[in-house]
Amino acid sequence: ARPAWPASVRLGCGDPAAAAARGAMAARYVGAIDQGTTSSRFIIFDDKSQIVAEAQEEHAQIMPREGWVEHDPLEIWERTKTVIKAALDKAGLKGSDLATIGITNQRETTVVWNKHTGEPLHNAVVWMDTRSQNICDQIAAEAGGKDALQAKTGLPIVPYFAGTKLRWLIENIPDVAEAVQNDSALFGTIDTWLLWLLSGGKEHLTDVTNASRTLLMDLDRLDWDDGLCDVVGVPRSVLPRIVSSSEELFRVADPPCIAGVPVAGVLGDQQAALFGQTCFEPGEAKNTYGTGCFLLLNTGEQKVVSRHGLLTTVAYKIGDAPAAYALEGSVAIGGALVQWLRDNLGIISKAPEVETLAKQVETNGDVYLVPAFSGLYAPYWRDDARGVLVGMTRYTNKCHIARASLEAIAFQSRDVFHAMEKDSEVKLSTLKADGGAVVNNTLMQFQSDILDIPVIRPVVTETTALGAAYAAGLAVGFWP
């Protein structure tokens, strides 16, 4: 069922009466674009927060060399258009049946394109890509250390964040450098890329949650900071306008099947999951088990600077209401570890098989796996770390490796969980879980065992898309 909206959320919402007068309330559904690291999906929700229809398409993972991960921005756009039409067709609906559309996206993934032609100037550089490590080292050395920008941005100077990826593209890709020089380049994370395309190339926007993942936004002012741009080494002129997470932005121009539908909600994927899990009050937390694992704790209007290796980020901003902040612990390799077993080692052919294998042995046989494929993220931030598989004997088989892989996901989340309790001084009594991996009972039970608290799965497991739907629906008065 839909949540009871607290005053802190309602404060920034659009006027339901005004929305009804515009005709928004005549439509009975809300759509959500969920553009993730491995796939794009479109989910249609009814006014009881139930899924009516959904469609999903994977896109290619391009890895030109060690540590580099790219996506084709045009492929992402084509997949997005495909799933929108497919979900509408499944439900037997038209675009006019949608009151609004929300967007949630893989964060930090960086795109630069020509504003005149709409052509990407390079593949998107994905959030887990580490190619900007040397740039980060240089910035940290000049600024006074890896945490020199933390007070203003909430973030360490590491390759994870979009600003240094943008600088790498400017310094290493001639087409990007030339476009920046000629004032024909636009930068954005995936939300910005999709918003620009949905608007027919008219709107260059990002929301506060995505902007807070760039190393370029002042967390207090919620705006780009000239000093940060200078330190990171990128021009402010290519950056999008920052908007709230919930407000009517424009009406869709493309694709035709949803033309005229208002876009009214944008949240980075982990903030969307927090919102979809209805973690509206300070002290409420969720952990998403997706490509990576991301534990977020709502700290309300108070910006808490971590002392234990976590990030400070914007949780959401509803219209004109004050922003809510969060502490975040990010783990780079979660469900991606299962993909690695499938695609790189060939131990499984489909993701669910990892649990089947893991259940064939009672223990991990003293086999442990540290999947530091892109270094270690929170709470360690060791860019030089690499993956380790230890404890193997002649007795070890693929079942032990499968179990060790699931346990590795839980162990990483436990490290973040304990750091979160130290920073927040809140003893978490339960853990709300979401994401694709929560269907794995073995993983969820092991997580509960090593944390010694209940792990709670939502009825609607697609909380990331639901959060975007909530944000969009609030802006147009769809949710009572």
Side-chain angles (χ1 to χ4, degrees), residues 68 125 129-143 145-146 149 157-173 214-215 229-234 383:
W68 292 26
V125 180
D129 186 288
T130 61
R131 72 185 67 187
S132 63
Q133 182 61 62
N134 290 340
I135 289 173
C136 291
D137 293 342
Q138 179 186 340
I139 294 171
E142 294 172 351
K146 182 182 288 188
L149 305 181
I157 303 169
V158 295
Y160 181 19
F161 305 109
T164 63
K165 299 179 192 298
L166 172 58
R167 175 168 163 181
W168 187 95
L169 288 167
I170 294 171
E171 292 184 352
N172 292 275
I173 306 301
T214 61
L215 279 172
C229 289
D230 289 343
V231 169
V232 176
V234 299
D383 306 312

Side-chain angles (χ1 to χ4, degrees), residues 50-312:
Q50 298 302 303
I51 293 175
V52 175
E54 61 181 305
Q56 181 176 10
E57 292 275 347
E58 291 190 357
H59 57 264
Q61 305 297 308
I62 304 165
M63 301 178 188
R65 64 175 71 175
E66 182 181 349
W68 292 26
V69 187
E70 300 177 357
H71 293 157
D72 179 348
L74 292 177
E75 182 188 15
I76 285 176
W77 174 232
E78 290 303 318
R79 296 288 187 270
T80 300
K81 291 190 292 183
T82 296
V83 297
I84 291 171
K85 187 174 188 308
L88 287 170
D89 289 347
K90 281 184 183 179
L93 299 175
K94 304 183 297 294
S96 58
D97 293 313
L98 302 179
T100 182
I101 290 171
I103 296 175
T104 182
N105 58 285
Q106 53 169 319
R107 305 169 303 171
E108 300 98 16
T109 296
T110 298
V111 188
V112 181
W113 66 97
N114 185 301
K115 66 183 178 184
H116 303 299
T117 67
E119 288 296 314
L121 299 172
H122 190 269
N123 279 338
V125 180
V126 178
W127 58 271
M128 66 179 75
D129 186 288
T130 61
R131 72 185 67 187
S132 63
Q133 182 61 62
N134 290 340
I135 289 173
C136 291
D137 293 342
Q138 179 186 340
I139 294 171
E142 294 172 351
K146 182 182 288 188
D147 295 327
L149 305 181
Q150 185 181 22
K152 187 171 279 190
T153 68
L155 311 173
I157 303 169
V158 295
Y160 181 19
F161 305 109
T164 63
K165 299 179 192 298
L166 172 58
R167 175 168 163 181
W168 187 95
L169 288 167
I170 294 171
E171 292 184 352
N172 292 275
I173 306 301
D175 285 350
V176 174
E178 182 181 354
V180 169
Q181 183 86 20
N182 296 337
D183 193 31
S184 60
L186 294 179
F187 152 83
T189 41
I190 293 294
D191 60 308
T192 303
W193 170 240
L194 292 179
L195 288 167
W196 191 81
L197 291 164
L198 288 163
S199 69
K202 294 181 179 178
E203 301 290 346
H204 187 214
L205 308 169
T206 190
D207 94 298
V208 288
T209 66
N210 282 290
S212 73
R213 315 295 295 191
T214 61
L215 279 172
L216 305 173
M217 189 187 83
D218 185 316
L219 279 181
D220 292 317
R221 294 190 300 108
L222 302 180
D223 197 6
W224 305 123
D225 184 89
D226 289 335
L228 290 172
C229 289
D230 289 343
V231 169
V232 176
V234 299
R236 182 167 177 166
S237 60
V238 303
L239 306 182
R241 179 167 64 90
I242 301 174
V243 296
S244 80
S245 309
S246 178
E247 62 179 276
E248 187 170 331
L249 300 174
F250 58 83
R251 291 183 178 264
V252 173
D254 189 40
C257 63
I258 53 169
V261 179
V263 175
V266 184
L267 288 157
D269 53 6
Q270 302 314 317
Q271 287 92 334
L274 186 77
F275 206 73
Q277 286 270 33
T278 67
C279 295
F280 301 136
E281 301 299 331
E284 294 185 325
K286 67 86 200 176
N287 196 30
T288 297
Y289 297 81
T291 302
C293 295
F294 302 89
L295 178 62
L296 271 73
L297 181 138
N298 188 329
T299 62
E301 295 178 25
Q302 179 185 8
K303 184 185 75 173
V304 177
V305 177
S306 174
R307 295 171 288 109
H308 297 93
L310 303 181
L311 310 175
T312 306

